[in-house]
Amino acid sequence: DTLWAMAEEWMTASEAASYLKTERRSLLRLVREGKVQGYRLSGTKRFVYRFLARDLDAAIMGQAAIMGQAVQQ
């Protein structure tokens, strides 16, 4: 499990947005709202984030679960 985590590659905001099939700007809004996990790089003047696919997948699955609950009600 630890070796797998080390092998994961970090994605830029553009790559993560492409992975989620959304705009970069929308992704960064979701990060600010706390709906998607982003990791802010230190030592930069601007907000620069990196993303892991597992966190993006978890965000998608969380949204799907919320939508499923809304449909059932």
Side-chain angles (χ1 to χ4, degrees), residues 5-47:
M6 290 174 58
E8 283 188 287
E9 291 190 31
W10 294 92
M11 288 187 257
T12 64
S14 296
E15 292 168 337
S18 178
Y19 182 83
L20 293 175
K21 295 180 176 49
T22 190
E23 296 292 324
R24 184 178 178 273
R25 185 175 184 167
S26 298
L27 171 64
L28 295 176
R29 178 180 44 81
L30 293 171
V31 170
R32 286 191 304 274
E33 293 173 355
K35 295 179 180 175
V36 174
Q37 175 68 50
Y39 299 89
R40 186 168 176 229
L41 298 183
S42 62
T44 61
K45 292 182 181 181
R46 297 176 18 213
F47 289 106

Side-chain angles (χ1 to χ4, degrees), residues 38-65:
Y39 299 89
R40 186 168 176 229
L41 298 183
S42 62
T44 61
K45 292 182 181 181
R46 297 176 18 213
F47 289 106
V48 178
Y49 291 94
R50 291 295 181 262
F51 302 88
L52 292 171
R54 65 183 160 97
D55 294 327
L56 300 175
D57 292 339
I60 292 170
M61 295 306 291
Q63 287 294 90

